[in-house]
């Protein structure tokens, strides 16, 4: 079986959905499972609905705007009396009904129940359209197959249950399902982390022993840098799982960090290709004697630099580290870079849940701290060390770290 994942940009409007069918035609639509993201910027728009709901503001107008956009997309794909229009209305009625009935003050719980609807609606439209043009497929609710704990917005997959459920699928059929979502033991929706659709595709690939997995993007493949941020970048045609994992960890947006481990465990080849020109080879990630180690550039923005030091000039010891990392886990803050000296620890952090101030308040009971928000982590992989001076030009460097072939700096 082949797994294809299409992101939001590839299904942003009616013409884009039609282009998905052209991509499938070029690849052969047989024995495949499609993982589809929410259309365009729908996830951002549904996040706004949740924010307005908690502010007790008029979220209904925003829901109506998102519904109208999806109906317009469907009008470009289906005759006016098609059943999909009733389905779209039903999904949006469900969002409104949930928010009117909800009593939970848990932001993350409410977020997952609302924001996940973007994927549900998107996949229903794409599945119905493909059936309409004789690309026969079955629509699946991913929540019936991907089982997680109840860590809302960062669900941890229960692999035993998930494998058992996905193994029931027919390997000879074609399916359309959602990325980004699963469900807990009470069947409440749990999302797998922002941009988690790639991870969903890898979960299905692993559990189905897929022949290959392909992510379709609006770029030619994995580049030596984001072309929107760096000049003169080139395509990496072959890279190893290890290199891809490093790039994803450092913040390469083209690959989701959790995606690669399930694929590597079963040695499933992973391709990143362009839905604009599906005939091009793109990037292959996997075991190969052609793998490249080119100098690559990654910019991870919206980071926070936290400097921690002891009040009595004693060493930052193991018990201090244990306390600090316990708090990081409690507040779901991820470490992008760390550097310690005898009496201080510097951490470049990713604050997805906006809890950095709470963390800092806890730490200030024991340590001296300094917080610098809105910094960037710039990483050069496979750096040519004889030329690294150029990377410091016009940058205010707050922290730097150099290993054998990697240069990293936190900049303001």
């Amino acid at each position: 079986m082949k797994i294809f994942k299409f992101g939001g940009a590839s299904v942003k409007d009616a013409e884009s959905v039609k282009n998905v069918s052209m991509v499938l035609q070029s690849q052969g639509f047989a024995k495949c499972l499609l993982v589809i993201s929410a259309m365009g910027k729908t996830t951002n728009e549904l996040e706004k609905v949740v924010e307005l709901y908690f502010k007790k503001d008029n979220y209904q107008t925003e829901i109506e705007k998102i519904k109208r956009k999806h109906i317009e997309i469907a009008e470009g794909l289906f005759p006016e009396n098609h059943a999909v229009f009733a389905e779209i209305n039903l999904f949006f009625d469900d969002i409104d009904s949930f928010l009117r009935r909800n009593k939970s003050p848990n932001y993350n719980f409410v977020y997952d129940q609302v924001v996940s609807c973007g994927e549900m609606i998107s996949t229903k439209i794409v599945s119905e359209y493909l059936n309409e043009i004789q690309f026969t497929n079955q629509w699946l609710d991913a929540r019936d197959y991907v089982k997680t704990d109840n860590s809302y917005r960062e669900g941890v997959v229960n692999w035993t249950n998930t494998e058992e459920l996905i193994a029931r699928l027919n390997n000879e059929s074609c399916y359309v399902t959602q990325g980004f979502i699963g469900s807990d033991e009470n069947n409440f929706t749990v999302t797998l982390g922002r941009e988690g659709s790639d991870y969903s595709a890898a979960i299905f690939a692993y559990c189905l022993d897929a022949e290959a997995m392909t992510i379709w993007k609006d770029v030619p493949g994995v580049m030596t840098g984001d072309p929107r941020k760096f000049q003169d970048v080139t395509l990496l045609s072959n890279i190893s799982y290890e290199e891809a994992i490093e790039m994803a960890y450092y913040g390469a947006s083209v690959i989701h960090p959790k995606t690669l481990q399930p694929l590597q465990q079963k040695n499933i080849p992973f391709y990143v290709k362009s839905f604009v020109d599906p005939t091009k080879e793109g990037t292959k990630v996997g075991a190969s004697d052609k793998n490249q180690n080119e100098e690559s550039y990654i910019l991870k923005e919206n980071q926070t630099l936290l400097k921690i030091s002891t009040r009595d000039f004693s060493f930052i010891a193991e018990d201090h580290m244990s306390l600090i990392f316990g708090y990081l886990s409690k507040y779901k803050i991820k470490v992008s870079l760390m550097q310690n000296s005898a009496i201080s620890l510097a951490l470049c952090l990713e604050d997805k849940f906006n809890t950095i101030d709470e963390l800092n308040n806890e730490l200030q009971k024991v340590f001296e701290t300094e917080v610098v928000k809105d910094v960037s982590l710039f990483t050069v992989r496979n750096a040519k060390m004889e030329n690294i001076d150029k990377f410091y030009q016009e940058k205010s460097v707050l922290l730097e770290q150099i290993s054998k072939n990697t240069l990293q700096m936190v900049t303001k």
Side-chain angles (χ1 to χ4, degrees), residues 2 4 6 17-30 32 34 130 133 135 214 216 273-281:
K2 291 177 288 189
F4 293 148
F6 290 91
V17 174
K18 290 175 183 176
N19 185 64
V20 167
S21 71
M22 301 297 289
V23 171
L24 296 174
Q25 196 168 16
S26 74
Q27 302 298 304
F29 190 70
C32 67
L34 311 188
L130 292 176
I133 61 169
F135 279 20
T214 304
W216 297 94
K273 300 180 75 171
S274 169
F275 61 73
V276 179
D277 191 350
T279 60
K280 294 283 179 67
E281 289 187 7

Side-chain angles (χ1 to χ4, degrees), residues 53 59 93-104:
Y53 169 77
Y59 62 84
D93 288 345
D94 284 347
I95 297 173
D96 189 51
S97 175
F98 167 76
L99 290 174
R100 280 189 285 106
R101 289 182 291 105
N102 174 62
K103 300 296 182 186
S104 174

Side-chain angles (χ1 to χ4, degrees), residues 46 50 54 98 106-120 143 148-155 180-184 188-194 332 353:
L46 287 168
V50 177
F54 276 96
F98 167 76
N106 184 338
Y107 184 95
N108 295 332
F109 168 76
V110 174
Y111 177 101
D112 279 4
Q113 310 319 302
V114 173
V115 171
S116 58
C117 291
E119 273 71 17
M120 302 298 290
R143 298 171 299 186
T148 72
D149 67 358
N150 62 357
S151 302
Y152 299 110
R153 293 181 71 187
E154 283 285 345
F180 181 53
I181 64 174
S183 67
D184 64 17
F188 287 115
T189 306
V190 181
T191 63
L192 305 179
R194 201 67 159 82
K332 297 184 177 181
F353 297 91

Side-chain angles (χ1 to χ4, degrees), residues 245-265:
I245 288 168
E246 292 284 354
M247 291 178 73
Y249 175 76
Y250 291 133
S253 60
V254 77
I255 305 169
H256 187 272
K258 293 179 183 175
T259 303
L260 293 144
Q261 186 186 20
L263 301 176
Q264 185 183 28
Q265 284 184 17

Side-chain angles (χ1 to χ4, degrees), residues 90-368:
L90 192 59
F91 279 123
F92 283 100
D93 288 345
D94 284 347
I95 297 173
D96 189 51
S97 175
F98 167 76
L99 290 174
R100 280 189 285 106
R101 289 182 291 105
N102 174 62
K103 300 296 182 186
S104 174
N106 184 338
Y107 184 95
N108 295 332
F109 168 76
V110 174
Y111 177 101
D112 279 4
Q113 310 319 302
V114 173
V115 171
S116 58
C117 291
E119 273 71 17
M120 302 298 290
I121 300 160
S122 170
T123 52
K124 182 59 74 170
I125 290 171
V126 173
S127 175
E128 291 286 352
Y129 175 71
L130 292 176
N131 278 323
E132 190 83 358
I133 61 169
Q134 309 306 311
F135 279 20
T136 305
N137 73 90
Q138 181 182 337
W139 181 84
L140 301 179
D141 187 335
R143 298 171 299 186
D144 294 336
Y145 296 90
V146 179
K147 291 301 186 180
T148 72
D149 67 358
N150 62 357
S151 302
Y152 299 110
R153 293 181 71 187
E154 283 285 345
V156 177
V157 174
N158 180 325
W159 283 95
T160 302
N161 285 6
T162 299
E163 281 188 77
E164 183 184 322
L165 292 165
I166 293 177
R168 297 174 187 173
L169 295 175
N170 181 354
N171 279 3
E172 300 295 314
S173 298
C174 291
Y175 300 97
V176 173
T177 194
Q178 307 79 40
F180 181 53
I181 64 174
S183 67
D184 64 17
E185 62 182 4
N186 295 311
N187 290 322
F188 287 115
T189 306
V190 181
T191 63
L192 305 179
R194 201 67 159 82
E195 310 295 339
S197 292
D198 293 1
Y199 184 38
S200 296
I203 292 166
F204 279 99
Y206 178 91
C207 296
L208 290 166
D209 290 318
E211 172 192 325
M213 173 178 142
T214 304
I215 292 177
W216 297 94
K217 309 280 285 187
D218 56 356
V219 292
V222 180
M223 313 291 286
T224 52
D226 186 336
R228 293 166 296 188
K229 297 173 182 174
F230 300 99
Q231 296 179 333
D232 303 322
V233 294
T234 57
L235 177 71
L236 293 165
S237 56
N238 291 79
I239 55 174
S240 66
Y241 291 116
E242 292 78 10
E243 184 66 17
I245 288 168
E246 292 284 354
M247 291 178 73
Y249 175 76
Y250 291 133
S253 60
V254 77
I255 305 169
H256 187 272
K258 293 179 183 175
T259 303
L260 293 144
Q261 186 186 20
L263 301 176
Q264 185 183 28
Q265 284 184 17
K266 289 195 174 179
N267 201 26
I268 297 169
F270 166 42
Y271 297 89
V272 181
K273 300 180 75 171
S274 169
F275 61 73
V276 179
D277 191 350
T279 60
K280 294 283 179 67
E281 289 187 7
T283 301
K284 179 184 177 182
V285 179
S288 170
D289 55 7
K290 298 178 182 176
N291 285 339
Q292 300 159 278
N293 289 299
E294 301 292 328
E295 189 171 82
S296 302
Y297 320 105
I298 304 159
L299 187 65
K300 198 173 187 179
E301 297 173 305
N302 303 314
Q303 302 286 290
T304 298
L305 180 62
L306 174 63
K307 295 180 179 178
I308 305 166
S309 58
T310 54
R311 288 186 172 143
D312 58 0
F313 287 91
S314 62
F315 290 161
I316 290 275
E318 287 77 8
D319 56 338
H320 295 131
M321 289 285 201
S322 177
L323 181 66
I324 292 164
F325 277 86
Y327 284 139
L328 288 168
S329 176
K330 176 182 176 181
Y331 291 107
K332 297 184 177 181
I333 294 175
K334 294 187 177 179
V335 178
S336 302
L337 178 71
M338 64 179 285
Q339 188 176 93
N340 68 294
S341 67
I343 59 171
S344 68
L345 176 68
L347 300 170
C348 181
L349 303 171
E350 187 170 356
D351 180 25
K352 281 186 182 178
F353 297 91
N354 298 314
T355 54
I356 194 73
D357 292 333
E358 294 172 70
L359 169 70
N360 191 41
N361 290 337
E362 293 265 30
L363 291 173
Q364 283 183 335
K365 296 172 185 176
V366 182
F367 304 99
E368 296 289 341

